[in-house]
Amino acid sequence: MTTLRAFAETEPRILLDCRNVLGESPVWDDRRNLLWWVDTMRGRIHWLAPDSGATGAHETGDTPGSIGLCDSGRLVVALRRTVILFDPDTGDRDTLADLASLREDERLNDGKVGPDGAFWVGALHETEISRMQPASSLYRIAPDGSVTEKITGLKVSNGLAWAPDGRTMFHSDSCAPWLDRWAFDPETGAMDRRSRIAEPDDETGRPDGAAADALGRYWSAGVSASRLNIWDRDGALLGSVPIPGCPKPTMPCFGGPDMRSVFVTGHRNQMTPEVLATFPHAGSLFTFRASVAGARVARFADAAAKVGAQGPART
């Protein structure tokens, strides 16, 4: 297996010593030249301007699991059981969808805007015992606020990413664990031809959040192995990029003017004092320069957004 130099032109380093409890969902905003991400446990949406080093945060009063960019400049945000549209300039928020059918110990987790202009978001169970039961789902939140349950029988839905042409969707389950590939229709959001391409173990790195590069390869955060793993579309492990100082990487994203800067979030949640003494910067934001550009992530088509949508419909 090929390591660092085949995929990274620079060594990973700390970009911001923010020490998130549970950093997740980095996304590059090419209009503002900002990086957005969330600290789920602290209930914050963070931003960073890499050029100036300026940074800030918005309090959500909830547990944001993931975010995406909107056509309007707003953010689409998955909170515990609701999906909202948030305006970072004014602080205004509108509820787009309410997933009231989620269990008491269940919350929304990894999410990303798909090529179809919809927000795709999965759920997880928060207790270790219930997390072992395949009882969560992946949902599609359409621009009109309608909710469709797309995949059932999940433990921890994670790792959404689309190939550059929008016709391949990758998805993972962190606790199963596995990586799946789907044929995807970027116009309608229809998906079929599910294929189980890999079942990584703890040593390789259980799959967490992910991104796709311009060649259609899948960059998965190996949360149990302090690395990013790069897979081809058929599930061959092409190599990895170790992230020293980040024992639990949660998600990469590509960004910067040329989409070759990689930003990696991590967590320090429930780490022992001994582990934190060894990895004092756990949960911080890391970066490196990749040898290839990333696939651009779509924006949520919120011009058609409505509020107060009903619960999920099954496909």
Side-chain angles (χ1 to χ4, degrees):
M1 183 177 68
T2 307
T3 54
L4 182 66
R5 289 304 174 195
F7 303 100
E9 292 186 349
T10 62
E11 297 280 347
R13 63 177 178 85
I14 295 173
L15 178 61
L16 184 67
D17 190 11
C18 50
R19 307 190 189 192
N20 297 145
V21 177
L22 179 53
E24 288 280 10
S25 197
V27 59
W28 177 253
D29 188 336
D30 59 336
R31 296 181 189 170
R32 291 183 172 97
N33 291 317
L34 295 178
L35 180 74
W36 298 95
W37 75 97
V38 302
D39 186 340
T40 300
M41 297 307 182
R42 290 195 177 114
R44 296 172 185 160
I45 300 171
H46 289 271
W47 60 267
L48 168 70
D51 289 346
S52 68
T55 187
H58 302 276
E59 301 287 344
T60 68
D62 204 326
T63 51
S66 52
I67 55 176
L69 306 175
C70 296
D71 282 340
S72 66
R74 294 186 289 183
L75 301 175
V76 55
V77 184
L79 300 176
R80 177 174 290 274
R81 292 186 184 84
T82 58
V83 176
I84 67 168
L85 298 176
F86 173 70
D87 188 330
D89 296 323
T90 66
D92 293 342
R93 60 179 72 190
D94 293 307
T95 298
L96 178 68
D98 186 350
L99 285 83
S101 62
L102 297 183
R103 285 174 28 177
E104 185 64 27
D105 65 343
E106 194 176 12
R107 68 166 175 84
L108 296 176
N109 187 44
D110 179 75
K112 191 170 287 186
V113 180
D116 56 338
F119 186 58
W120 293 70
V121 61
L124 60 76
H125 290 275
E126 294 183 293
T127 64
E128 288 295 333
I129 293 176
S130 63
R131 193 175 295 173
M132 293 301 102
Q133 304 302 315
S136 290
S137 298
L138 175 70
Y139 303 93
R140 179 183 185 266
I141 316 297
D144 66 0
S146 59
V147 183
T148 306
E149 188 177 41
K150 300 294 287 187
I151 306 174
T152 61
L154 304 174
K155 294 181 179 180
V156 177
S157 180
N158 229 320
L160 287 165
W162 282 264
D165 65 0
R167 298 191 175 280
T168 299
M169 184 184 90
F170 297 100
H171 179 232
S172 70
D173 189 316
S174 296
C175 282
W178 44 251
L179 308 178
D180 277 0
R181 185 190 71 230
W182 292 79
F184 191 86
D185 186 333
E187 299 298 323
T188 66
M191 46 194 283
D192 61 9
R193 287 180 281 164
R194 184 181 192 174
S195 178
R196 180 68 38 84
I197 61 173
E199 297 180 357
D201 56 20
D202 280 355
E203 183 177 356
T204 302
R206 285 188 297 104
D208 208 299
D213 68 22
L215 300 178
R217 301 177 300 190
Y218 183 65
W219 294 53
S220 170
V223 69
S224 60
S226 188
R227 68 178 65 162
L228 302 183
N229 289 315
I230 297 90
W231 307 81
D232 73 10
R233 69 182 313 276
D234 296 317
L237 182 56
L238 302 175
S240 66
V241 177
I243 314 292
C246 182
K248 300 289 184 181
T250 54
M251 186 175 176
C253 83
F254 289 87
D258 60 1
M259 293 295 289
R260 286 181 55 194
S261 293
V262 178
F263 304 102
V264 184
T265 51
H267 82 76
R268 59 196 289 122
N269 190 35
Q270 299 180 341
M271 289 186 183
T272 65
E274 291 76 19
V275 172
L276 290 175
T278 303
F279 299 101
H281 304 290
S284 293
L285 186 65
F286 289 74
T287 190
F288 63 90
R289 291 283 293 168
S291 59
V292 65
R296 292 191 178 273
V297 177
R299 286 179 176 261
F300 185 70
D302 60 334
K306 299 178 182 179
V307 298
Q310 300 298 314
R314 293 180 180 270
T315 55

